[in-house]
Amino acid sequence: MQPSRLDPVCAAIRATGRRAVAIALDLREVGDLESAIGRAAGAFGRLDVLVNNAGVPLKVPALDVTPEAWDAVMATNLTGTFFLTQKFGAWLAREHRPGCIISVASTHALVGMADRTVYGIAKAGILQMTRMLAIEWAPLGIRVNAVAPGRIDTAARAGSFKQPGYLESALGRIPLGRLGLPEEVAAAVAYLAQPAAAYVTGQTLVLDGGVTAQ
């Protein structure tokens, strides 16, 4: 990501009276992850929360998946996410600080769906990573959780929603009868990062309007 693309986000954060520092990072470059954490720690003096929100989509039948497509998804969605989490956990351990890690997964990690195999496998790996690290790092005071959004009304999905019949079909499968909002996902992440969730670790908070309850 180009650093300039982060400028509007930083400006919005600063407008609320808070501090923000833009650090461009490619999760596929594992060797750069530790230095990125160091820059962030140097800018703020301390680190408390990591939110893993990077992801690469892939919609293709399983029979058509190529090794290149598999690697492209896994490099960011699973491999890069794991190693950034590892480096963040190592920083907290060295500093003898508690902390919180929250990963954005997907309901594709919980239910089956055609053409989403590789993406679902990667996100399922994130959920198992969450459970494993929650146990291993509990003695360090590091909580590890995840959120699993379903269909969220984002700009990236706008093209799909314009396809004839797509939105109606999607809403028909959601018990609450509407799409989720980005603000609702953000609120779930914020909850898991707060002291109110101090006794929550190893969990996945699902935001899907009731789809996985069916």
Side-chain angles (χ1 to χ4, degrees), residues 119-192:
Y119 183 80
I121 290 171
K123 291 300 187 179
I126 293 299
L127 299 191
Q128 185 64 358
M129 178 191 81
T130 294
R131 290 185 284 264
M132 292 290 195
L133 293 182
I135 299 301
E136 186 170 332
W137 290 354
L140 300 175
I142 301 173
R143 296 187 299 110
V144 188
N145 292 293
V147 298
R151 295 184 184 275
I152 307 299
D153 190 3
T154 65
R157 301 294 298 274
S160 296
F161 295 151
K162 291 179 180 178
Q163 296 176 12
Y166 181 94
L167 183 58
E168 292 77 8
S169 175
L171 294 179
R173 294 192 293 270
I174 302 173
L176 286 183
R178 67 172 179 86
L179 302 174
L181 301 176
E183 295 85 351
E184 292 171 320
V185 179
V189 172
Y191 161 70
L192 290 172

Side-chain angles (χ1 to χ4, degrees), residues 19 40-47 91 95 97:
R19 297 171 59 197
F44 292 104
R46 57 182 283 180
L47 299 175
W91 186 91
E95 297 294 318
R97 296 191 59 85

Side-chain angles (χ1 to χ4, degrees), residues 46-66:
R46 57 182 283 180
L47 299 175
D48 300 291
V49 179
L50 169 66
V51 178
N52 290 311
N53 191 39
V56 175
L58 181 67
K59 181 181 178 182
V60 64
L63 294 178
D64 296 332
V65 174
T66 64

Side-chain angles (χ1 to χ4, degrees), residues 54-55 62 88 92 102 108 110 146 157 166 174:
F88 184 76
L92 292 174
I102 304 159
H108 289 311
L110 300 169
R157 301 294 298 274
Y166 181 94
I174 302 173

